[in-house]
Amino acid sequence: EPHPHVAGAVDVWIEHHRSPERVKLDPDRNIRLLQLSLKDDEDADRPVDAQNLYHLALEAESRRQWMNAIKLFRAYVPKSGFREQVYDALCEMGLCYRQLILDRRRRGLNFNLLMHDAMDSYFRAVEIRDDWPDAWVGLAHMRLLSGDPEGTLRYLARARLLEGHTMAPVIGVQPLR
């Protein structure tokens, strides 16, 4: 039945099935549904729904598929009009780059290129919301990983000025150089 407040909208009931231990019974379900929706958009010659890209990127990130998550976040960012979620996507992209940096020796990846891309993601996030701490903490992480304690402290000082922030994400990270 049509939604009373939005023309053309209908209410949808989604039932999530979990085992008694709260484990997803079908962990690939969300990915399949999101991919089907993207394919439907493509088949109908409609613009891609940016939200589907965002949620696919988060699914890839949760599965530690860092390169795929970065690709999906990159596709999402220019399509979205929701600035706060773009901020989040840029910070998540920075986290994916950080994971690649930590794992670069096994994968044979270039430290400087990954560092540049991670910093760029965080700086783009700061341009959107310089009053939120996540990007500042991300920048501090990257400076610490590059062996720049002064830069680390500068970004941490900025993050500390922002309300509701804890320093837990930085504790225990060692420089890589």
Side-chain angles (χ1 to χ4, degrees), residues 6-177:
V6 181
V10 293
D11 288 328
V12 176
W13 179 268
I14 297 176
E15 196 170 323
H16 294 277
H17 297 276
R18 295 182 185 268
S19 69
E21 298 82 30
R22 307 274 311 144
V23 175
K24 286 184 180 179
L25 295 177
D26 185 2
D28 295 327
R29 175 183 167 272
N30 290 349
I31 292 173
R32 282 194 315 274
L33 292 172
L34 290 165
Q35 288 172 334
L36 279 172
S37 181
L38 288 174
K39 183 164 179 9
D40 285 348
D41 288 344
E42 183 181 296
D43 291 348
D45 203 25
R46 289 187 299 257
V48 169
D49 183 343
Q51 285 302 110
N52 289 338
L53 291 170
Y54 176 75
H55 290 290
L56 267 174
L58 291 175
E59 286 286 336
E61 183 182 21
S62 74
R63 293 166 179 256
R64 304 176 64 82
Q65 297 170 350
W66 312 122
M67 298 295 271
N68 189 36
I70 289 168
K71 180 181 118 191
L72 290 162
F73 283 129
R74 282 182 182 260
Y76 162 78
V77 166
K79 291 178 178 15
S80 176
F82 184 32
R83 290 174 45 86
E84 285 77 9
Q85 198 170 54
V86 169
Y87 172 91
D88 182 57
L90 290 166
C91 288
E92 293 300 324
M93 194 166 27
L95 286 170
C96 291
Y97 281 117
R98 185 177 78 207
Q99 290 305 126
L100 288 173
I101 288 168
L102 294 172
D103 197 26
R104 76 186 186 286
R105 288 185 184 101
R106 185 170 62 87
R107 295 176 183 251
L109 299 172
N110 182 295
F111 176 86
N112 291 329
L113 182 59
L114 293 171
M115 182 62 69
H116 173 271
D117 290 345
M119 295 291 286
D120 181 63
S121 296
Y122 288 123
F123 280 126
R124 288 173 60 199
V126 165
E127 288 174 7
I128 294 170
R129 293 299 307 243
D130 69 347
D131 59 333
W132 286 4
D134 309 81
W136 296 108
V137 171
L139 288 166
H141 262 123
M142 302 320 298
R143 296 317 318 153
L144 184 62
L145 291 174
S146 68
D148 177 10
E150 292 83 19
T152 301
L153 292 174
R154 185 174 59 250
Y155 291 127
L156 286 178
R158 179 67 172 110
R160 285 183 61 112
L161 294 174
L162 304 171
E163 186 175 323
H165 176 67
T166 66
M167 302 315 290
V170 179
I171 294 171
V173 178
Q174 299 297 316
L176 291 178
R177 287 191 170 190

